[in-house]
Amino acid sequence: MADERTRYFRRLRRRRRSARRWSVIAGGLGGAAAVLTPYAGLGLPDAAWAAGAGGAIVLAAWRWADLRALAAQPAPPALDRAAAAAHSRARLVAAVQRLPAGSGLLAEAHRVRARVALRGTSAVEPWGRLDRAGATFAGLRDRLTGLAAPAVAEATAADQSLRDLALQVAEVERAIRVAPPETRPQLEQARAALADQLHSGVAAYERLVGAAAGYVAENVRSDVQEPSTARLTEATDLLHGVASALAELRTTDPTFRTS
């Protein structure tokens, strides 16, 4: 994917080629008009040659003016490799998000990458619990309306915060492995405190998901019969009544036939 500097020089080359092309066309038409007009005298064809030559000359002048204006602008600075990679990645992510299932694919890719980053650390187990609870909450999200609507924003913020905390636990554990022996006790205390926060936070998130499921269950439960079920029951009773009436008529009148 081209950056701003590449696009600038590409536009500059296109305008230079256009200016040269119209200069050649203007020279050819102008030369033809200069030769043919005295040769055959003034007439309608000569007016066409002259008009074409004049238009080509004007267009060539405009193209050269556009080229000079663009060349006068300073070229955008060259991106370093890290910035170019970030720019390309951002454009690729934006293109994927425009796909019908793009957001889901990106979210799954982020989860897989984070799971790989946590491999071999104590944060893997709470991360898995958080993933399962988050997937459950995602299925309940659209049903949390009314008084429960603020819980959606709270759960989203808590999910992101707990995932960041899990990554911090993993980073501290990796730092302990390479840290000097005299600094390891302090790092162990910090890791233990972070791990306790992570486990308690995941447990609280799981309780929130359970409460959300209870809210949804209570919200949809009702003593009123489902309208479709009531209509089916009424239709069944009607058919039973019609069948009984037909049986009685057939008993009293054997020649009776339904149409």
Side-chain angles (χ1 to χ4, degrees), residues 230-240:
R231 290 194 297 270
L232 288 174
T233 303
E234 293 174 359
T236 302
D237 294 338
L238 176 62
L239 290 176
H240 281 307

Side-chain angles (χ1 to χ4, degrees), residues 238-248 250:
L238 176 62
L239 290 176
H240 281 307
V242 172
S244 299
L246 291 175
E248 291 179 5
R250 191 173 291 108

Side-chain angles (χ1 to χ4, degrees), residues 38-176:
Y39 178 76
L42 294 175
L44 187 60
D46 303 302
W49 281 108
I57 291 171
V58 171
L59 282 173
W62 282 348
R63 292 295 183 266
W64 284 109
D66 291 341
L67 175 61
R68 286 192 295 271
L70 182 61
Q73 299 176 8
L79 294 177
D80 57 5
R81 292 189 176 182
H87 178 73
S88 298
R89 186 165 52 251
R91 295 193 61 179
L92 180 61
V93 168
V96 173
Q97 284 180 335
R98 288 193 291 268
L99 298 175
S103 299
L105 290 174
L106 288 175
E108 183 61 26
H110 289 318
R111 282 195 293 269
V112 171
R113 185 176 62 182
R115 199 177 298 119
V116 171
L118 297 175
R119 185 178 299 169
T121 66
S122 62
V124 172
E125 188 269 337
W127 181 278
R129 290 167 52 196
L130 183 62
D131 257 353
R132 292 189 292 271
T136 303
F137 188 82
L140 301 171
R141 185 189 304 271
D142 294 338
R143 297 180 181 272
L144 295 175
T145 56
L147 296 175
V152 176
E154 294 294 335
T156 303
D159 182 271
Q160 185 59 47
S161 177
L162 290 171
R163 293 184 188 277
D164 292 340
L165 185 58
L167 293 174
Q168 292 177 22
V169 171
E171 291 168 358
V172 172
E173 287 189 5
R174 293 193 182 93
I176 292 174

Side-chain angles (χ1 to χ4, degrees), residues 8-24 59-60 62-72:
Y8 170 82
F9 285 108
R10 188 180 298 166
R11 289 166 52 203
L12 196 65
R13 287 192 298 270
R14 282 201 300 264
R15 291 194 181 183
R16 183 177 292 112
R17 287 195 299 267
S18 177
R20 289 174 178 174
R21 182 172 57 252
W22 280 107
S23 297
V24 172
L59 282 173
W62 282 348
R63 292 295 183 266
W64 284 109
D66 291 341
L67 175 61
R68 286 192 295 271
L70 182 61

